Amino acid sequence: HEGIAKDYFESEHGKAFVSGFEAAPSCIDCHGEHDIMKVTSGKSKISRANEIEVCLKCHLDNPDVRSRMTHVSSFIASYENSVHGRLFKAGNQDVAVCSDCHGAHEMMKASNPNSKVYKLNITSTCGRCHTKISDEFRESIHGLALAKGNFDSPACTDCHGEHLILEPTDPRSPVAPKNVALQLCSKCHASVKLAEKYGIPADKFKTFTDSYHGLNVRLGNVEAANCASCHGVHDILPSSDPRSRINKANLVKTCGQCHPRANENFTKGKIHVTVASSDDKIIYWVSTIYIVLIVSIVGSMFVHNLLDWIRKTIDKYKQRHAKMSHPANELPRKTNLYLRMTLEERIQHLALVVSFFTLVITGFMLAFPDAWWVAAIRNIGGEAVFKYRGLIHRIAAIVLVIDSIYHLYYIIFTRRGREFIRDIMFRMQDLRDMVQVLKYNLGLSKEKPKFGRFNYIEKSEYWALIWGTVVMTVTGVVLWFENHFMGWLSKTFVDVCNTIHYFEAWLAFLAIIVWHIYYVIFNPDVYPMNFAWITGYLTEEEMEKEHPLELEKIKLQEIKKGEFV
């Protein structure tokens, strides 16, 4: 066995044996002594049926051998749980065992260029069983780079693992749908070092994870498109290659795998683009304009409310101090109630509140799937959270639209509704009131303006709500039926709508929190809450503070009707 002996002495086993390592295997340790049989015999110690047990006897059970290995024992043992190990245990002896990958007598470390598991040799080793896949990989951009000796290019084991190779359907597998983009492709394509070294775009992974597909993947949707869905698996090619799945000529077919209605319009527009991307000029300018609007509008709201809070807090302090100094002069609180919101109006408002915050929560769950509060919701609801998130979002949207349609009917066909829309209209007096409030809050004037049924703050809220509802409804419909709109118009159109929908959601949410919530809860004049949205009424004291002109008007009407007491 001269040739075999030569291979053995060049192997790691042979080198260990020559060095005097007592646990190093010799011929008889594997083949036996007087009971040597052909490898093809089921009675042979190293037949395929027994080989794994012979190898593990040293590599797993012998502590002296384990101490010399670079891998931990759990790595060796993990083979039994791999797809190869499980099939072998089930009786399939055609699957890969130790010698198929490492060799029989020529076993060498993976760092040895002559080793079967050396990175540049892995494709050939795996290709002995996976011939078709191996041929595809060799023609791919990764395979060609690897053939040139590029160690940064992935080989089979970089994606599938080494001993613990699992089926793509196993969620623990690196190539499982939920892991491909976030844990596998990202290792290279999100690497600043590799991007700089090879001149590849460093933002592709970021733009994917921030896209609709990427956000769904991050939220746990295994059906959403990942990197392999578009680029392929073993046959990944640059977009300039006519065979590439992402070549312009093939995009309709590629997109059509998930979107049966895909056509030429469907593929018009950049793929890796998000609301924060500067690759597309339209997206860039829409997002930039919205960011400026959000910062300026919400920032102005915050400053306005901060000044309002400071001034009202000072006034409150002075009033309480005066009451403590002159308790005898304190007048009894006025208990008359005045209708602010009818039951019909309160129901409209409640529907708006519930649908709005449901939309905010379910919408931002998709936009920020890794946020702590989303994780908390997912921990409570499990996988059902993702399954029903989109459904709940759409139901809330329908409720909001129905509520809006009813409100439109209300302001057109009812007397109180027409009075409402008349009183909520902006007038020049609102501008003068706003200037006067600013002067009063800054201490430049001692005179506080008097408001009627609605002040400029409430009017701003209402018309901003109308605008936001229209914008969110239109863009929401486009996103709901995105396949149709991409086919009718283009992907760019849908991307623009997505950008507007995202930033309008932020603008609406921040406006409600900073503007509306302050005035109905944290406003010192109404804290802990303005209860009109629940009871429908304001007290006379509240009317005097917030709507003195309206109170005067009501009392004047009572006098005219002879109802004044």
Side-chain angles (χ1 to χ4, degrees):
H1 303 290
E2 185 178 352
I4 292 175
K6 181 182 178 183
D7 289 341
Y8 169 77
F9 283 113
E10 289 179 354
S11 72
E12 293 303 317
H13 290 160
K15 291 176 182 178
F17 179 80
V18 171
S19 70
F21 180 52
E22 293 183 1
S26 63
C27 306
I28 59 175
D29 290 312
C30 297
H31 292 273
E33 296 181 79
H34 298 100
D35 55 345
I36 298 173
M37 296 184 179
K38 289 183 178 181
V39 177
T40 54
S41 171
K43 295 180 180 180
S44 171
K45 288 185 176 182
I46 54 169
S47 69
R48 293 188 72 81
N50 302 321
E51 179 183 314
I52 295 174
E53 184 180 349
V54 171
C55 293
L56 293 182
K57 186 177 180 181
C58 291
H59 286 277
L60 194 59
D61 300 334
N62 190 321
D64 292 329
V65 175
R66 289 205 309 268
S67 66
R68 292 170 64 96
M69 295 191 309
T70 55
H71 299 302
V72 295
S73 57
S74 60
F75 172 79
I76 304 297
S78 66
Y79 168 83
E80 294 183 311
N81 295 320
S82 71
V83 61
H84 294 145
R86 283 183 279 112
L87 287 172
F88 180 83
K89 194 180 294 183
N92 185 347
Q93 293 186 14
D94 291 329
V95 298
V97 293
C98 309
S99 60
D100 291 316
C101 299
H102 296 276
H105 302 99
E106 68 274 34
M107 295 175 181
M108 298 177 183
K109 289 182 178 180
S111 58
N112 191 319
N114 295 319
S115 171
K116 287 189 173 185
V117 291
Y118 183 65
K119 184 162 184 174
L120 300 185
N121 301 330
I122 283 289
T123 306
S124 297
T125 300
C126 295
R128 293 176 60 195
C129 296
H130 304 284
T131 309
K132 183 180 178 182
I133 291 174
S134 176
D135 291 342
E136 281 185 355
F137 177 77
R138 284 192 177 93
E139 294 295 319
S140 73
I141 190 170
H142 292 150
L144 292 172
L146 197 64
K148 293 177 181 178
N150 189 331
F151 277 80
D152 289 325
S153 186
C156 310
T157 51
D158 290 307
C159 297
H160 293 274
E162 296 171 291
H163 279 190
L164 188 59
I165 297 173
L166 300 169
E167 304 94 320
T169 54
D170 191 317
R172 299 171 299 165
S173 172
V175 294
K178 73 171 186 178
N179 300 328
V180 166
L182 304 183
Q183 297 184 31
L184 191 59
C185 298
S186 61
K187 289 191 298 184
C188 296
H189 290 277
S191 169
V192 176
K193 179 181 177 181
L194 292 181
E196 182 181 349
K197 187 174 181 180
Y198 297 107
I200 58 177
D203 64 338
K204 294 302 181 186
F205 175 71
K206 177 70 167 60
T207 54
F208 168 77
T209 54
D210 288 346
S211 70
Y212 179 79
H213 291 148
L215 291 170
N216 272 275
V217 168
R218 287 163 61 190
L219 199 57
N221 183 0
V222 296
E223 295 179 356
N226 55 48
C227 307
S229 304
C230 302
H231 293 271
V233 181
H234 302 102
D235 56 344
I236 298 171
L237 295 166
S239 59
S240 57
D241 192 313
R243 299 169 297 167
S244 172
R245 297 188 184 193
I246 58 169
N247 182 272
K248 282 188 175 182
N250 302 324
L251 276 179
V252 172
K253 181 180 178 180
T254 300
C255 296
Q257 295 176 118
C258 300
H259 306 280
R261 295 177 181 272
N263 56 21
E264 289 293 332
N265 284 337
F266 200 93
T267 61
K268 288 180 180 178
K270 293 184 178 295
I271 304 300
H272 284 271
V273 62
T274 66
V275 294
S277 174
S278 60
D279 289 344
D280 191 297
K281 289 184 178 180
I282 299 177
I283 302 295
Y284 172 76
W285 282 111
V286 169
S287 58
T288 300
I289 290 169
Y290 257 107
I291 290 171
V292 172
L293 284 174
I294 290 171
V295 172
S296 58
I297 293 174
V298 177
S300 299
M301 290 176 174
F302 179 80
V303 173
H304 178 281
N305 292 354
L306 179 62
L307 293 174
D308 184 80
W309 182 84
I310 292 173
R311 182 60 196 234
K312 286 179 177 177
T313 301
I314 294 172
D315 291 345
K316 279 279 184 182
Y317 172 79
K318 290 179 178 179
Q319 290 172 10
R320 289 176 182 175
H321 183 75
K323 288 178 181 180
M324 291 175 65
S325 303
H326 309 285
N329 297 331
E330 185 175 346
L331 298 174
R333 296 175 65 86
K334 299 174 182 178
T335 57
N336 291 338
L337 297 177
Y338 294 87
L339 181 65
R340 182 67 178 171
M341 298 175 70
T342 63
L343 177 60
E344 189 175 5
E345 291 167 346
R346 298 202 300 275
I347 292 173
Q348 291 181 54
H349 181 266
L350 181 62
L352 175 64
V353 170
V354 173
S355 60
F356 176 82
F357 282 104
T358 301
L359 286 167
V360 168
I361 292 170
T362 54
F364 284 156
M365 278 178 68
L366 177 61
F368 307 102
D370 302 320
W372 64 269
W373 58 273
V374 178
I377 294 174
R378 291 172 69 179
N379 289 337
I380 296 172
E383 293 299 322
V385 169
F386 171 78
K387 184 178 180 181
Y388 296 111
R389 182 212 64 82
L391 176 62
I392 294 171
H393 190 79
R394 287 168 173 79
I395 291 173
I398 291 171
V399 171
L400 178 63
V401 171
I402 292 174
D403 190 40
S404 302
I405 293 172
Y406 181 80
H407 180 71
L408 185 62
Y409 158 81
Y410 179 74
I411 62 175
I412 295 175
F413 295 103
T414 68
R415 180 181 176 183
R416 185 173 172 85
R418 289 192 294 270
E419 291 176 352
F420 169 86
I421 204 67
R422 182 194 64 207
D423 294 338
I424 204 74
M425 286 292 183
F426 278 110
R427 293 173 176 82
M428 282 301 299
Q429 184 58 42
D430 295 309
L431 183 59
R432 290 191 286 268
D433 288 342
M434 184 169 60
V435 173
Q436 186 61 31
V437 165
L438 182 62
K439 291 168 65 178
Y440 178 76
N441 287 339
L442 290 172
L444 301 177
S445 173
K446 294 183 179 181
E447 183 180 350
K448 185 178 180 181
K450 292 183 178 182
F451 301 120
R453 183 180 178 186
F454 299 111
N455 56 38
Y456 68 90
I457 297 166
E458 293 162 319
K459 292 179 180 182
S460 299
E461 286 180 320
Y462 178 79
W463 292 111
L465 172 65
I466 298 300
W467 164 260
T469 302
V470 171
V471 171
M472 294 301 282
T473 300
V474 171
T475 56
V477 169
V478 172
L479 296 179
W480 192 342
F481 301 100
E482 61 173 347
N483 288 345
H484 296 79
F485 282 96
M486 278 197 280
W488 295 334
L489 300 171
S490 68
K491 179 182 179 297
T492 298
F493 175 78
V494 175
D495 287 337
V496 170
C497 289
N498 183 47
T499 303
I500 294 173
H501 198 77
Y502 173 78
F503 282 111
E504 186 67 33
W506 267 117
L507 182 57
F509 173 66
L510 291 175
I512 290 294
I513 295 299
V514 175
W515 197 247
H516 188 68
I517 296 300
Y518 166 76
Y519 276 102
V520 297
I521 295 179
F522 297 106
N523 178 359
D525 286 343
V526 302
Y527 186 82
M529 184 186 293
N530 184 325
F531 292 99
W533 73 283
I534 299 175
T535 66
Y537 291 90
L538 289 179
T539 65
E540 186 164 342
E541 183 180 9
E542 290 172 326
M543 288 291 288
E544 285 179 343
K545 287 182 178 179
E546 300 295 327
H547 310 283
L549 295 181
E550 177 71 5
L551 180 61
E552 291 175 9
K553 179 181 176 181
I554 292 172
K555 287 188 173 184
L556 183 61
Q557 290 174 345
E558 289 175 347
I559 292 174
K560 289 180 179 180
K561 291 179 180 180
E563 296 175 356
F564 182 76
V565 178

